[in-house]
Amino acid sequence: MKVLKNYINGSWVESREQSTVDVVNPANQEVLAKVPYGEGTAADVELAVESAVKALDEWRNVPVMRRVQPLYQLKQLLEKHVDELGRLITLECGKSLPESKAEIQRGIENVETACATPMLMQSEFSENVAPGIDEFMIRQPVGVCACVAPFNFPGMIPFWFLPYALACGNSFILKPSEKVPLTMMKVFELIDQLDLPKGLVSLVHGGKDSVDAILDHPQVKAISFVGSTPVARYIYQRGTANGKRVQAQGGAKNPVLVMPDADMEMTAKIIADSVYGCAGQRCLAASNIITIGDKKGTITEALLEAAKSKTTGFGLDEGIEMGPVITPESKRRIESLIAKGVSEGANLLLDGRNTTVSGYEKGNFIKPTILENVALEGEIIKTEIFGPVMSLIHMDAIDEAIDFVNSNNFGNMACLFTTSGLNARTFRNRANAGNIGINIGVAAPMAQFPFSGWNDSFFGDLHGQGRHAIEFFTQTKVVIERWPQEWTRKF
């Protein structure tokens, strides 16, 4: 079984760490590869940073119009290899093939947006702020930047950061999740074909040891992270304590409100796609579904039917809509949380536990689950399950539901389904979340907009994607120049 190499200084090199962990297909427990994991990976980070510092001296002075040229080529390479990348995502992450290929497409959109960096990072200029004095602001690279990526979107999330960092003149180090490193291994094979300085982009494997080495290294100036809230808080606190810029996306418990005037059948299908897409393992998955004034149970019945219709299995098989969760440990955790919800008084409207898929008996499968009347003061209502579980709550009025939304410690996404413009306007104005959806099940911003997050869902000031990414990966310099016809000491 092959042990994965790091990509450092333009070459594939073996890790300094001899210990490994398995990369496992969650549908059948097949070992796909082995990845370095242990204290020695900190030495790998040191090598990557050393080469990144050297490459930075050359790259930061390359004109921005030239810096984006390799990104155009990267876009073409990614498009050419969408099928292969999608298959790798399905094998190591578990999601269905259509989901995996759609993920790569969203990554490509970020590469496209980063190609607009020559315009996005243009400076501001004011002439004659005083006689003979001009003042302007320019943007310059931050330096060596790093990303610690999660398991659930191995082909998309690194592209929230990597193309922008490069276009802005920085060098970049990526540490993919040890659970799903194969997708980025393939992406770096494509990056290796680009005309970039050696050492400008590196890939380093590992776990907490390599992350801490990144957080503590004095030459690393900016860190991007996506993952759970406890780890996001740790990354932010340790990184900022070391004087680094940090953007750390945390977890979520996303609420979706359904008004009685919504199109019930279509709304139910869209919500089911949101709750159960990617087996619920995404930070924008709908979780707490709040029906408003559903006294006849119309939307409840529609949600139940939509959930039952989902086909669960191996993501490369025909017609599969939902794959397994990432590990056996995740499956056990999710199933224990379902049991916890029942113990807190919830009605188990649909039970997806103890699922076995023929031909994949060792897979980490959980079918769609619905917990109805979840206790508002219980643990489940505020815990990120990160699995295919819907918590169904019934309320009488939109104001009551918005108050409940705003009591959430998280603030990643909140959505409303309605045909009322007034209700939609009220909701988008009052709901405390960074991404708001109106008649949308997954309010995922396009690449031109920042991936916002509030409260415990985000630590930092500038988010990934779009103009926020340009601002995060550049530092501003204000220049005041005097070129007078007659010299004076006045300003």
Side-chain angles (χ1 to χ4, degrees):
M1 184 61 62
K2 67 175 181 179
V3 177
L4 302 183
K5 294 182 178 181
N6 297 317
Y7 184 81
I8 299 175
N9 200 32
S11 300
W12 294 102
V13 296
E14 293 183 357
S15 172
R16 300 291 184 89
E17 176 59 58
Q18 298 300 309
S19 299
T20 63
V21 293
D22 293 340
V23 181
V24 178
N25 182 337
N28 58 14
Q29 306 308 309
E30 175 192 2
V31 177
L32 303 171
K34 293 182 179 293
V35 63
Y37 192 90
E39 293 181 3
T41 57
D44 299 333
V45 171
E46 181 64 39
L47 288 175
V49 174
E50 182 181 323
S51 65
V53 170
K54 292 178 181 178
L56 180 65
D57 288 339
E58 173 187 348
W59 186 248
R60 67 181 298 143
N61 292 316
V62 172
V64 63
M65 287 295 292
R66 286 179 53 196
R67 288 202 300 255
V68 299
Q69 296 310 308
L71 296 181
Y72 287 108
Q73 185 182 359
L74 178 59
K75 171 188 178 314
Q76 293 176 338
L77 287 170
L78 291 171
E79 289 174 335
K80 181 179 179 181
H81 293 274
V82 162
D83 290 342
E84 183 180 359
L85 288 166
R87 187 174 184 277
L88 282 171
I89 292 172
T90 295
L91 287 174
E92 66 177 353
C93 188
K95 60 186 67 176
S96 71
L97 185 58
E99 288 175 328
S100 298
K101 292 168 71 172
E103 173 183 342
I104 291 297
Q105 181 57 43
R106 295 305 292 265
I108 292 170
E109 289 166 6
N110 273 282
V111 177
E112 291 173 335
T113 301
C115 288
T117 300
M119 291 173 288
L120 293 174
M121 67 179 292
Q122 283 180 350
S123 63
E124 301 170 10
F125 189 98
S126 294
E127 188 178 41
N128 281 334
V129 294
I133 298 177
D134 305 328
E135 187 167 349
F136 56 96
M137 184 191 79
I138 59 176
R139 292 189 175 276
Q140 294 185 331
V142 173
V144 179
C145 303
C147 170
V148 179
F151 78 83
N152 58 330
F153 284 90
M156 178 185 72
I157 288 177
F159 287 108
W160 288 358
F161 315 110
L162 185 154
Y164 301 100
L166 296 187
C168 290
N170 303 281
S171 52
F172 193 83
I173 299 169
L174 173 67
K175 195 215 83 69
S177 168
E178 65 277 7
K179 296 182 178 70
V180 291
L182 297 178
T183 302
M184 277 298 121
M185 291 287 289
K186 179 59 185 179
V187 167
F188 268 69
E189 289 179 9
L190 303 180
I191 289 175
D192 190 45
Q193 301 178 37
L194 306 179
D195 183 19
L196 297 173
K198 289 184 177 180
L200 187 70
V201 186
S202 296
L203 181 147
V204 178
H205 297 294
K208 187 176 184 297
D209 295 292
S210 55
V211 172
D212 285 346
I214 289 170
L215 290 169
D216 295 340
H217 201 292
Q219 293 282 13
V220 176
K221 303 301 181 182
I223 297 170
S224 305
F225 171 80
V226 178
S228 69
T229 288
V231 180
R233 183 180 284 110
Y234 171 81
I235 295 279
Y236 182 76
Q237 290 176 342
R238 186 158 177 167
T240 54
N242 287 325
K244 306 181 190 306
R245 289 188 176 191
V246 181
Q247 48 183 186
Q249 188 84 31
K253 188 72 174 178
N254 301 308
V256 175
L257 281 58
V258 184
M259 299 299 295
D261 60 359
D263 181 322
M264 294 303 173
E265 183 178 354
M266 185 57 67
T267 295
K269 291 178 180 178
I270 293 172
I271 290 175
D273 290 342
S274 177
V275 175
Y276 305 118
C278 303
Q281 298 175 122
R282 54 185 176 189
C283 57
L284 288 181
S287 182
N288 290 333
I289 311 304
I290 307 164
T291 69
I292 299 172
D294 186 32
K295 299 190 182 300
K296 294 183 178 180
T298 305
I299 186 62
T300 300
E301 186 61 32
L303 287 168
L304 179 60
E305 291 305 311
K308 286 180 177 179
S309 71
K310 294 292 180 185
T311 53
T312 302
F314 179 38
L316 292 182
D317 288 347
E318 189 76 23
I320 296 301
E321 296 175 276
M322 194 178 85
V325 297
I326 190 67
T327 63
E329 292 76 19
S330 293
K331 179 179 179 179
R332 287 193 291 269
R333 175 184 172 274
I334 294 164
E335 291 186 337
S336 70
L337 287 171
I338 295 170
K340 177 71 173 177
V342 173
S343 72
E344 291 179 345
N347 172 33
L348 191 55
L349 201 61
L350 185 63
D351 189 356
R353 294 173 296 176
N354 304 313
T355 294
T356 301
V357 175
S358 179
Y360 305 99
E361 286 76 12
K362 294 182 180 180
N364 310 321
F365 295 102
I366 303 175
K367 285 188 176 180
T369 297
I370 299 178
L371 291 168
E372 186 183 23
N373 294 325
V374 177
L376 298 185
E377 302 302 323
E379 179 182 338
I380 295 303
I381 200 71
K382 53 192 175 186
T383 299
E384 183 179 33
I385 298 175
F386 222 59
V389 181
M390 178 190 301
S391 296
L392 189 56
I393 310 159
H394 306 298
M395 294 186 177
D396 294 327
I398 188 172
D399 288 338
E400 177 190 10
I402 292 176
D403 288 343
F404 170 77
V405 168
N406 292 345
S407 69
N408 192 343
N409 289 335
F410 298 109
N412 217 29
M413 181 188 83
C415 297
L416 173 74
F417 283 83
T418 184
T419 56
S420 165
L422 177 59
N423 284 334
R425 190 173 189 275
T426 299
F427 181 78
R428 79 179 191 218
N429 176 260
R430 288 185 53 199
N432 290 338
N435 301 291
I436 299 294
I438 304 296
N439 297 321
I440 295 289
V442 180
M446 298 298 290
Q448 303 94 315
F449 292 90
F451 191 100
S452 295
W454 287 14
N455 306 332
D456 285 352
S457 291
F458 183 75
F459 300 89
D461 298 299
L462 295 167
H463 300 82
Q465 298 194 155
R467 288 188 180 274
H468 274 216
I470 300 298
E471 293 183 33
F472 183 80
F473 289 114
T474 57
Q475 50 193 343
T476 56
K477 180 181 287 185
V478 176
V479 181
I480 304 107
E481 291 187 350
R482 188 197 305 267
W483 300 105
Q485 290 183 343
E486 296 181 8
W487 283 98
T488 175
R489 294 168 61 189
K490 293 182 179 180
F491 179 13

